[in-house]
Amino acid sequence: MGCFCLKKVRNKSGYKDPTILASETPFTVNEVKALYDLFKRVSSSIIDDGLIHKEEFQHAVFRNSSKQNLFADRVFDLFDVKHNVVIEFGEFVRSLSVFHPNAPIADKIAFLLRLYDLRQTGYIEGEELKEMLLALLGESELVLSNDMVEMIVEKAMVEADSNGDGKIDEEEWREFFKNNPSVLKNMTLPYLKDLTSLAFPSFVLNNEAEIVGNK
C-alpha cells in the first residue's frame, strides 16, 4: 500500500523528489515535504491537476482570482520558470526558496531586479517603477495622488541610478541594496524555517511597497 501511494504521488504532474529539491535549495527534506502539502492545497483549489494555475495563484496570494493586476502577473511569471502558464512543484519550491532566511542575499536582489524589469532588458527604467507602483496601489486599494506617485518614483531613481542615465542596471541595483540593507528585510520569511502550519505566503504586497520608496 505504501509503495503504491508513493508511486501515485511521484506520477503527479509536476512532482519532484524532495531529496533533489532539498539539495538545490536552503530547504530541508522535511520542509520540502511540508511545502508539498501546501502546494497540493493551492493546486487543487480550482483545477485539481497537480499544477498551480494563475487563477489559483492569485487567489492564494491576493485573495482574488479574477482581478487583473500587473504585480500579481509579474510574481506568477517569475514562479513560472518554464513559461508554460502553470507552476509545477519544483518551480514552486525553487522560487519560494529565495525568501528562505538562509538564501543568499544576491539571489534576493536578483529576484527583485527581474520583478521590476518588466521589459526584460536587464535594467529598470523609471516608467517600469511607476507601472509597478501603480499596480501595487491598485492591489492594496491605497490611493495616492499623481504628484505623490511621481515623487516616490523620482526619489527611487535618484537614489539608485548613480550614473544618471535614466535606468538602473544590475550593478546599481546591487549597490542600492548594499547601501539600504533594511529594504531587503521583507525578502526573508522566518517561518520558512518552521513549516509546521503553513499558509500560502501573502508576503509580496507589503514587500514591494517598501522597496519602491517607503523605506
Side-chain angles (χ1 to χ4, degrees), residues 46-72:
I46 298 177
I47 304 172
D48 190 5
D49 60 356
L51 300 166
I52 296 179
H53 295 255
K54 181 174 288 189
E55 294 81 1
E56 293 170 323
F57 184 83
Q58 289 184 222
H59 184 265
V61 180
F62 304 101
R63 305 295 182 259
N64 191 313
S65 59
S66 58
K67 182 180 176 183
Q68 287 295 111
N69 182 275
L70 173 64
F71 179 67

Side-chain angles (χ1 to χ4, degrees), residues 6 9-10 14-37 89-90 93-94:
L6 183 59
V9 169
R10 283 179 175 169
Y15 181 80
K16 293 291 183 181
D17 190 314
T19 304
I20 295 175
L21 290 173
S23 70
E24 297 173 347
T25 68
F27 294 114
T28 67
V29 172
N30 286 337
E31 288 170 344
V32 173
K33 290 178 179 178
L35 285 174
Y36 186 63
D37 289 337
F89 179 55
V93 174
R94 293 186 184 96

